[in-house]
Amino acid sequence: MPFLCRAITPEPFGMSTHLSARMTRSFFTLCLFAILLPLSLSAQSTASKATSGNPIFPGWYADPEGTIFKKTYWVYPTFSAPYNQQVFMDAFSSTDLINWTKHQRIIDTTAVKWAKRAMWAPAVVEKAGKYYLFFGANDIQSNKELGGIGVAVADNPAGPFKDLLGKPLIGQFHNGAQPIDQFVFRDKDGQYYLIYGGWRHCNIARLKDDFTGVVPFPDGTTFKEITPQGYVEGPIMFIRNGKYYFMWSEGGWTGPNYSVAYAVADSPFGPFERVGKILQQDPKVATGAGHHSVVQVPGTDEWYIFYHRRPLTETDGNHRETCIEHMYFDENGAIKPVKLTVEGVRKRTLN
């Protein structure tokens, strides 16, 4: 505010009461105008905002999990910082993709006693009125360490989430896959699968109905490897027109060439043959574009991709921002290359 509204001093000697009252009313009117004008301008700015802009909310956030709960868009990202500072997660919600509300510390290491650091890459699903958050923690490098993929539960998408098991859901390496970067996929028959893996290996496993563990496949195996060519980490899967689209990240997450590629199959088990990249850096906009998720507007063929990228001015590997773009398909069902923008997307409410 450009000035302070002070208390009115007694009227000067000789000034008429009528004149003094007029000056007092004028003074208070000016004060009120000074207070309300910035608020009014702010409201007008928000109301007239034509696009989301990129990033869609401030702060260093990566690995965004986008989803829809009860006509509201939600994004669950990693707090992008050195591993020892990654001890909590925030969430963001919006009804229009333009204005986002921050929900702080929906989970942290005080709620997950075995998690000490490197909480990242959340995946969230709703089932029977409960919300389940799957996450990685501790960045284990061998089966001798405690950590891996955990699961927490809450009654609200904004948390607070509490540890469901008191231990990792998956805490060992299987088929060479580091237990990180989990994605929960619901198939057409209602079966939920956990798709996960770092270190260039990706597994799929059947989840129990209550998400407390995994169950073997009919052939007796529990973890099936579905790793496509070029795979590094960050898998997701969705169905469109009866086809299974499998997407993942390639390259190193701290470098400019981090990117997203995909494959298509007739089954969630593949075989998946790499089609090509659809998201990568634009040297004029940003670098390190990867580790994404996709959201379909219910009842439509409208798709959005949430991803992180690094501003051109940044060299710190942890300086990543969450962004959004449209994702389109051609007439043959191939995903078109995604264009990185500063504008983001236009307002889109849910019916």
Side-chain angles (χ1 to χ4, degrees), residues 48-122:
S48 62
K49 189 177 179 183
T51 63
S52 64
N54 276 324
I56 57 176
F57 41 73
W60 301 126
Y61 289 98
D63 316 329
E65 162 87 344
T67 188
I68 293 174
F69 295 131
K70 297 179 179 178
K71 299 182 181 180
T72 299
Y73 301 95
W74 286 82
V75 173
Y76 298 84
T78 298
F79 173 61
S80 190
Y83 290 0
N84 288 337
Q85 297 176 29
Q86 290 180 340
V87 294
F88 67 91
M89 291 179 175
D90 297 327
F92 298 82
S93 64
S94 173
T95 58
D96 59 9
L97 295 177
I98 302 294
N99 305 292
W100 293 88
T101 298
K102 182 177 180 179
H103 306 273
Q104 297 190 64
R105 287 186 174 261
I106 61 169
I107 191 172
D108 59 30
T109 51
T110 65
V112 186
K113 301 303 182 184
W114 57 268
K116 304 299 181 184
R117 65 199 290 267
M119 291 188 73
W120 59 33

Side-chain angles (χ1 to χ4, degrees), residues 71 348-351:
K71 299 182 181 180
R348 180 56 161 99
T349 56
L350 298 167
N351 297 323

Side-chain angles (χ1 to χ4, degrees), residues 117-301:
R117 65 199 290 267
M119 291 188 73
W120 59 33
V124 186
V125 296
E126 182 274 333
K127 186 178 183 184
K130 297 284 187 179
Y131 297 86
Y132 296 87
L133 185 150
F134 296 75
F135 59 92
N138 296 353
D139 186 36
I140 63 171
Q141 303 295 299
S142 74
N143 288 337
K144 296 180 180 180
E145 301 173 59
L146 176 63
I149 296 170
V151 58
V153 64
D155 295 322
N156 188 293
F161 286 88
K162 303 297 182 183
D163 191 5
L164 181 64
L165 304 176
K167 62 181 181 179
L169 173 69
I170 299 178
Q172 300 281 294
F173 284 69
H174 300 279
N175 301 321
Q178 185 188 27
I180 64 168
D181 288 6
Q182 58 294 315
F183 177 77
V184 180
F185 171 69
R186 184 178 186 273
D187 205 353
K188 292 177 289 188
D189 61 0
Q191 174 65 55
Y192 287 87
Y193 294 95
L194 191 70
I195 302 170
Y196 75 93
W199 290 14
R200 299 181 181 276
H201 292 276
C202 185
N203 288 332
I204 185 170
R206 293 175 64 194
L207 284 164
K208 290 184 177 180
D209 288 341
D210 59 3
F211 298 149
T212 60
V214 295
V215 294
F217 292 101
D219 64 3
T221 61
T222 304
F223 300 93
K224 290 184 178 293
E225 184 166 6
I226 56 171
T227 309
Q229 178 187 5
Y231 176 91
V232 174
E233 59 194 14
I236 74 161
M237 188 177 290
F238 63 89
I239 301 173
R240 180 179 182 271
N241 293 339
K243 296 291 186 179
Y244 291 80
Y245 288 75
F246 180 35
M247 307 179 77
W248 62 90
S249 291
E250 300 181 342
W253 67 269
T254 60
N257 295 321
Y258 203 47
S259 54
V260 171
Y262 82 104
V264 183
D266 296 320
S267 159
F269 311 108
F272 290 104
E273 295 187 8
R274 183 181 185 277
V275 175
K277 293 182 187 292
I278 60 95
L279 180 73
Q280 57 188 317
Q281 71 166 331
D282 182 337
K284 296 180 180 179
V285 180
T287 66
H291 203 128
H292 73 302
S293 60
V294 298
V295 168
Q296 179 186 16
V297 176
T300 76
D301 196 31

Side-chain angles (χ1 to χ4, degrees), residues 26-55:
S26 298
F27 183 76
F28 274 111
T29 300
L30 185 60
C31 287
L32 185 62
F33 179 77
I35 293 171
L36 296 180
L37 180 60
L39 297 177
S40 175
L41 291 175
S42 176
Q44 291 177 25
S45 176
T46 300
S48 62
K49 189 177 179 183
T51 63
S52 64
N54 276 324

